[in-house]
Amino acid sequence: MESTPPTEAFAELRFYVYNKKENKYFTIQDVEVKRFNALRMVWGLLKVLSYDTFTNPENGFIFEGGECEFGVDVLVAPPLTNWEILSFDEKLSPPKFSWNLKNFSELKEDVYTSNKYPMGGKEWVLKLYPKGNSRADGKYLSLYVHLADSETLKSDEKNFKQGHVRVLNPLGSNHVEVQSSCWYKESSRGWGWDHFLSIANLRKTYLDKEDALNVEIEFKVVSATKYSPII
């Protein structure tokens, strides 16, 4: 099956004018990628060198009886197959997810993962290290926000999340709160804090009467990335 020839091309343009006196090229590059198609088949630069500079033989651009030398590099980008559409959702319902870890003082595993919760078209989980991860030296609670393992991202897909992560005080005030603003992609599916809260302070203040720890995340903004075929 024969492929359809492209109807347009995107290219970066770099122009050269040879200077024989200095034995090098004067180079100028357009700052924008140019779109070539049936409606616009020619692109260029209106101003490269002033006429007086170019025509003065002492400057080296004209030599050997009026000769001059020009060049151009055309760097063609691969054809686009999809438009990336990035939208931000600030009206999230419900915006909060709460996680209750019972018998916190008796937790034995290195890391615990919450149930999945949907937000902004994706599913997320919290991951908590009750004795801290390898960078916390056993002195701090480590806490992270992850995309759920069931979520798959395209190689160039990105998701933005902004919100607050809290460890709640049983008395109803003076919660430990950290703001989070970060991009998630396939190579970086989790984001968080090695030193979220000292374990000494946690045990003193943030466990309720039943030895439970309550963690909460409140999303403010979540992005959604969609891909639309270019027709």
Side-chain angles (χ1 to χ4, degrees):
M1 182 177 178
E2 295 184 359
S3 60
T4 303
T7 58
E8 62 183 8
F10 294 84
E12 295 182 10
L13 305 178
R14 187 182 298 124
F15 296 93
Y16 302 92
V17 183
Y18 181 61
N19 187 316
K20 187 172 183 179
K21 182 178 180 180
E22 299 183 6
N23 193 28
K24 65 181 182 180
Y25 287 92
F26 172 81
T27 305
I28 184 169
Q29 181 172 351
D30 203 328
V31 296
E32 296 181 352
V33 174
K34 299 304 182 184
R35 184 179 185 179
F36 291 81
N37 53 33
L39 299 177
R40 186 68 183 266
M41 301 180 67
V42 177
W43 286 95
L45 297 173
L46 294 177
K47 297 180 180 180
V48 177
L49 285 169
S50 71
Y51 179 78
D52 291 340
T53 299
F54 177 72
T55 56
N56 187 340
E58 294 183 0
N59 291 329
F61 294 107
I62 294 181
F63 48 89
E64 297 177 0
E67 293 185 7
C68 54
E69 184 176 325
F70 301 96
V72 62
D73 278 342
V74 181
L75 306 177
V76 180
L80 297 176
T81 57
N82 290 294
W83 291 114
E84 181 181 274
I85 304 171
L86 182 63
S87 60
F88 291 88
D89 187 357
E90 299 183 26
K91 297 180 180 179
L92 303 169
S93 179
K96 293 183 181 180
F97 171 77
S98 298
W99 185 21
N100 177 269
L101 291 97
K102 298 179 180 180
N103 302 315
F104 183 85
S105 299
E106 300 177 11
L107 297 180
K108 304 297 183 183
E109 301 295 331
D110 291 334
V111 59
Y112 290 83
T113 303
S114 73
N115 293 330
K116 294 185 290 186
Y117 54 95
M119 193 69 65
K122 297 291 184 183
E123 289 190 322
W124 308 80
V125 296
L126 290 170
K127 291 192 176 185
L128 182 145
Y129 296 74
K131 297 180 177 63
N133 62 15
S134 60
R135 293 178 291 276
D137 299 323
K139 298 179 180 179
Y140 292 88
L141 176 82
S142 300
L143 186 58
Y144 294 85
V145 184
H146 275 256
L147 280 167
D149 290 340
S150 57
E151 290 291 349
T152 57
L153 297 177
K154 298 179 183 294
S155 60
D156 56 352
E157 184 178 356
K158 303 177 293 293
N159 283 82
F160 177 77
K161 176 192 69 65
Q162 184 181 80
H164 295 88
V165 179
R166 306 181 182 99
V167 169
L168 301 181
N169 187 320
L171 299 179
S173 61
N174 298 321
H175 307 307
V176 178
E177 178 180 284
V178 180
Q179 180 172 319
S180 170
S181 298
C182 51
W183 287 94
Y184 291 78
K185 53 187 178 180
E186 186 57 36
S187 61
S188 180
R189 298 173 59 90
W191 193 265
W193 304 267
D194 300 331
H195 303 83
F196 190 89
L197 173 64
S198 74
I199 293 176
N201 192 19
L202 182 154
R203 295 186 183 280
K204 179 180 178 181
T205 306
Y206 293 94
L207 297 178
D208 64 20
K209 294 180 179 180
E210 297 179 353
D211 193 34
L213 182 72
N214 290 285
V215 180
E216 178 182 271
I217 181 168
E218 181 178 5
F219 284 83
K220 297 295 186 181
V221 180
V222 175
S223 74
T225 305
K226 296 182 179 180
Y227 294 86
S228 177
I230 296 177
I231 301 175

